[in-house]
Amino acid sequence: MAFPTFVPPASTTTGQPSAHNDSEIVLQTQALTKVFGSRTAVDHLNLAVRRGEVFGFLGPNGAGKTTTIRMALGLITPTSGSVEILGQNVWQQRDRVLSQVGALIETPALHLYMSGRDNLQAVASILGTADARRIDEVLGLVDLSDRQRDRVSTYSLGMKQRLGVAVALLDDPQVLILDEPANGLDPAGIVEMRDLLRRLATQGKTIVISSHVLSEVQQICTRVAIINHGKLVTTSTIDDLTRGQGYFVIHVEDATRAFAAIKSQPWGREATLEPNLTIHTAAPDGRGRDLVSFLVGVGCVPDQVAYEQVQLEEVFLRLTSTPGAANGGA
Amino acid sequence: MLAISTTRRATIGRTPRFWGITRGELFKISRLRSTWIMGILALGISILPWFALSFIPRQRASLVAHTISSTLNNVEGNLSLMRVFLGIFLIILAVQTIGLDYQQGTIRIILARGVDRLQLLGAKALALFIVSVIALAGWFLWELILGTVTLSLVGGGFGLFSALNGTFWQDTGLYAITVVVSALASVALAIAATVLGRSVAFGMAVGLGFFPIDNFGTLILRVISIVTNNTFWAQLTRYLLGPALNYMPIAALPQTTHIVATPSGPVNEVSGAFSLGINPLYTDNFVHTLLVALVYVLAFAALAIVLTWRRDVKE
Ligand SMILES: Nc1ncnc2c1ncn2[C@@H]1O[C@H](COP(=O)(O)OP(=O)(O)OP(=O)(O)O)[C@@H](O)[C@H]1O
Ligand SMILES: [Mg+2]
């Protein structure tokens, strides 16, 4: 993995918004490592998240996502390595850096004995942003306006999760780090959360999401990093991860003959003939056009050729199923 | 759903400020209803001794005859109870203030926003200090009101009240100081215990169990001392926090006899401190008890600070 050795411009070190710059790195970890006893939870992790990205941070259970996020937020001390946010070291400039970062870590952390509104009020006074209008605004954003006076102990998990996001959004931070934001949300809630994150992204906010719901990530993330056993497996755009990994579904009259012809080709060795007499195959150099002309050439004019996009899930499982494959770190 | 504000807020670059954090903590304390109910209940109960003083004939007579000593006795009894109850109240409050943030995980939300751990601990301690001062001042005021009302009712005017001389007020003030010291020691204990255990349950167990245990420990040390025929063990009780706090008012206010003018002529009055709880087996002076309390408070503070500073936040 190659990472740009990008030095953020001086203007970002003051925390002032700089002109929108696609390549400006907002969050960067360098050889970040955390060892708990004899277990290495995060192992020389290098990540770089650019301004305005919705960055997916993926990995199986216990991969080290939460540990990484906790280090990025200054909650646990890295064993070695460093985290920079907005060009500043998190451990040296905690207050300046982290006041620009809204976060949700695992389960929503709320005062159950207080109302939803009071929870926001408490955080607002701590952050020095006590402003009733902003509290109304974020309550509206997460659709909790009509339950704001109820004690949080009476909320459903999804409502707590949304209130957790509201807390993270309270003072309009530039960077949002959300650990499993879809946790406990029903399908409608997931769609709403996705819309909310999309809108925030269009505002130029940088969003890091760790998630297990890969279809979610696939729909909103511009790039993803996949980690396993604390090590980076890959960083890539979703397109790059899934491109060329799909397959073509062919409906053709003489399926058996077409299948035999495809099977005889080097690119078609993995082809399968499905029970419904459709053929699933790769194409020469991944190009559908060449597949069609090949079929026409062997006299099997297809009725239909469709491309099936591979799901992120499949790529993810392939990349993380063998421990030995986890070797993409620095 | 409302639209997201597109204007960048003027808060960029601000850092959380200590006073803001303290205010946030005070806000959270103000929402702890159960604790307030307990405090108000205690204020209600403290009416009883004054009530007895005004309506039980013998007590009433004694109040008229020996105004200073019987008022002082009553005040000392009340302050002694208050020391214990306020201590429990403040321990519960401190445990909740520190422990709920750990238990409900909200500490990570606050710390993840750049609040320094020690700054947060300091803000919580300050918030608790403010609440303690308000609670103490409120209770002292309450006692003053109750005392004034009682003396006026019994004496049919301010006659009895004006009989209270400078020594009375000085003694009461000294006693009040011992209550304040005790309250602060209780809060420090509760903070350290909760930081150590990072949970409300642990904080409550240690915070509320500490004083009964070291009071009882005095008895055990006494037994050990007798069995081993070695006064070393009994000497140890001079350094236990609970017994030191129990003994502090007695050490501060030695038994004194003074002549006092009353409406029925000059009278000899004996005043001495009353204090709840077990005293050390070897007693020292007021300064010693103060020093013992101070050392404990410093140790509790050091424990809380070091643990907060050194440990990862895994909540
Ligand atoms: N406080 C801790 N003490 C010891 N080990 C820990 C601690 N926190 C995490 N670990 C270990 O570190 C590894 C990474 O855990 P982490 O919580 O970061 O994983 P994750 O990717 O967030 O998993 P999940 O998807 O289940 O949330 C795990 O093996 C875990 O057991
Ligand atoms: Mg996790």
Side-chain angles (χ1 to χ4, degrees):
Chain A
M1 284 296 129
F3 290 91
T5 49
F6 175 81
V7 180
S11 69
T12 60
T13 60
T14 62
Q16 293 303 318
S18 59
H20 188 78
N21 180 348
D22 280 337
S23 63
E24 182 195 336
I25 290 173
V26 163
L27 187 153
Q28 183 165 33
T29 71
Q30 274 160 341
L32 189 63
T33 303
K34 180 70 187 185
V35 180
F36 290 113
S38 61
R39 178 185 299 123
T40 305
V42 176
D43 195 354
H44 293 86
L45 188 65
N46 290 316
L47 290 176
V49 179
R50 302 188 192 114
R51 183 177 289 281
E53 272 192 317
V54 181
F55 190 87
F57 189 43
L58 315 176
N61 286 135
K65 303 182 293 293
T66 302
T67 305
T68 304
I69 289 175
R70 280 175 182 273
M71 286 191 281
L73 295 170
L75 293 175
I76 59 181
T77 329
T79 307
S80 64
S82 66
V83 184
E84 279 186 12
I85 294 180
L86 297 165
Q88 302 195 17
N89 186 298
V90 170
W91 282 91
Q92 283 151 19
Q93 301 282 334
R94 280 182 59 88
D95 51 348
R96 293 180 125 269
V97 174
L98 293 176
S99 58
Q100 324 262 340
V101 183
L104 180 76
I105 308 149
E106 288 182 324
T107 52
L110 301 159
H111 284 296
L112 302 179
Y113 68 94
M114 300 202 299
S115 71
R117 190 182 183 87
D118 284 350
N119 265 278
L120 288 165
Q121 180 65 56
V123 176
S125 31
I126 287 168
L127 298 179
T129 56
D131 172 348
R133 278 216 352 260
R134 180 60 187 167
I135 292 176
D136 289 336
E137 213 169 81
V138 292
L139 279 166
L141 273 176
V142 299
D143 213 9
L144 279 175
S145 300
D146 26 321
R147 295 292 302 273
Q148 56 173 296
R149 302 277 173 199
D150 295 350
R151 277 177 175 234
V152 172
S153 54
T154 67
Y155 283 15
S156 71
L157 181 56
M159 292 167 70
K160 287 180 191 155
Q161 195 75 5
R162 296 210 304 269
L163 187 59
V165 173
V167 171
L169 290 174
L170 197 55
D171 61 342
D172 205 11
Q174 295 188 47
V175 183
L176 273 176
I177 299 181
L178 308 173
D179 192 10
E180 316 269 354
N183 218 350
L185 297 183
D186 58 15
I190 289 180
V191 171
E192 268 179 39
M193 178 71 73
R194 186 170 64 213
D195 290 346
L196 174 61
L197 295 180
R198 272 212 189 102
R199 273 184 290 156
L200 293 167
T202 59
Q203 279 195 294
K205 293 205 186 306
T206 308
I207 305 175
V208 177
I209 307 173
S210 100
S211 179
H212 284 130
V213 190
L214 295 183
S215 54
E216 262 325 288
V217 174
Q218 185 157 18
Q219 290 188 50
I220 54 172
C221 288
T222 35
R223 284 199 310 145
V224 295
I226 296 178
I227 67 165
N228 197 13
H229 302 291
K231 290 183 180 158
L232 188 68
V233 177
T234 183
T235 322
S236 170
T237 62
I238 305 249
D239 278 350
D240 283 346
L241 269 184
T242 54
R243 181 182 308 138
Q245 309 238 20
Y247 54 89
F248 292 87
V249 180
I250 304 165
H251 289 260
V252 62
E253 215 171 280
D254 195 348
T256 330
R257 194 160 68 83
F259 180 64
I262 289 169
K263 269 298 221 191
S264 69
Q265 298 299 312
W267 46 266
R269 258 182 232 129
E270 312 258 294
T272 55
L273 182 62
E274 301 296 311
N276 66 353
L277 294 181
T278 59
I279 301 165
H280 291 186
T281 178
D285 289 329
R287 280 199 294 264
R289 204 174 11 162
D290 293 353
L291 178 63
V292 173
S293 50
F294 170 78
L295 288 170
V296 172
V298 295
C300 299
V301 182
D303 294 324
Q304 268 182 40
V305 176
Y307 184 68
E308 281 287 318
Q309 179 89 36
V310 72
Q311 289 300 301
L312 184 58
E313 248 114 23
E314 292 164 44
V315 180
F316 175 80
L317 285 176
R318 190 144 31 77
L319 288 172
T320 58
S321 54
T322 45
N327 226 341
Chain B
M1 279 210 181
L2 294 171
I4 303 162
S5 73
T6 46
T7 49
R8 204 165 270 289
R9 304 180 75 80
T11 53
I12 299 297
R14 56 127 198 91
T15 56
R17 261 163 296 156
F18 188 73
W19 177 236
I21 306 168
T22 310
R23 264 203 358 232
E25 293 301 328
L26 286 171
F27 177 79
K28 287 192 273 186
I29 291 172
S30 74
R31 290 294 188 271
L32 285 168
R33 268 176 233 150
S34 54
T35 319
W36 292 118
I37 291 170
M38 203 179 115
I40 289 163
L41 219 72
L43 286 185
I45 290 169
S46 65
I47 296 179
L48 294 178
W50 293 106
F51 199 75
L53 209 54
S54 11
F55 293 105
I56 295 174
R58 239 189 50 200
Q59 294 218 23
R60 203 184 154 104
S62 141
L63 181 63
V64 174
H66 312 284
T67 307
I68 292 188
S69 61
S70 65
T71 308
L72 195 59
N73 282 345
N74 201 51
V75 166
E76 284 173 359
N78 288 0
L79 290 183
S80 187
L81 274 175
M82 167 178 171
R83 186 171 69 83
V84 175
F85 275 106
L86 199 72
I88 293 172
F89 168 79
L90 291 176
I91 285 171
I92 292 175
L93 200 64
V95 167
Q96 286 181 317
T97 299
I98 307 272
L100 281 174
D101 262 337
Y102 279 112
Q103 194 150 312
Q104 304 189 329
T106 37
I107 190 160
R108 66 172 183 254
I109 300 299
I110 300 166
L111 296 181
R113 298 312 298 265
V115 174
D116 184 77
R117 294 177 204 178
L118 290 179
Q119 199 181 26
L120 180 64
L121 182 69
K124 281 176 184 290
L126 177 61
L128 285 168
F129 181 76
I130 292 171
V131 172
S132 307
V133 167
I134 292 172
L136 283 162
W139 203 330
F140 288 145
L141 192 68
W142 181 237
E143 285 290 323
L144 188 67
I145 293 170
L146 290 174
T148 312
V149 168
T150 306
L151 291 183
S152 315
L153 276 179
V154 173
F158 280 99
L160 288 182
F161 192 79
S162 51
L164 301 176
N165 60 7
T167 317
F168 168 85
W169 290 111
Q170 198 183 331
D171 288 356
T172 304
L174 264 176
Y175 206 113
I177 287 172
T178 68
V179 174
V180 171
V181 171
S182 186
L184 295 182
S186 303
V187 170
L189 161 69
I191 290 175
T194 315
V195 166
L196 177 66
R198 295 194 262 200
S199 80
V200 171
F202 186 90
M204 290 287 184
V206 174
L208 295 176
F210 190 93
F211 290 122
I213 288 171
D214 81 345
N215 271 277
F216 189 65
T218 307
L219 301 182
I220 293 176
L221 287 171
R222 181 187 184 144
V223 171
I224 295 175
S225 185
I226 292 169
V227 170
T228 60
N229 197 19
N230 185 342
T231 57
F232 168 78
W233 305 105
Q235 294 277 359
L236 274 187
T237 63
R238 296 166 62 194
Y239 306 102
L240 294 178
L241 179 61
L245 292 175
N246 294 340
Y247 185 67
M248 189 181 286
I250 300 170
L253 305 166
Q255 292 266 340
T256 49
T257 309
H258 33 221
I259 299 160
V260 187
T262 66
S264 46
V267 204
N268 276 340
E269 283 194 356
V270 177
S271 69
F274 166 80
S275 183
L276 281 176
I278 291 169
N279 292 329
L281 299 175
Y282 288 84
T283 53
D284 293 276
N285 58 14
F286 177 52
V287 175
H288 174 90
T289 58
L290 261 184
L291 282 177
V292 169
L294 184 70
V295 167
Y296 273 91
V297 167
L298 290 179
F300 291 144
L303 180 69
I305 288 170
V306 169
L307 288 177
T308 303
W309 176 43
R310 299 293 302 175
R311 285 194 307 203
D312 283 345
V313 178
K314 292 166 182 170
E315 278 67 32

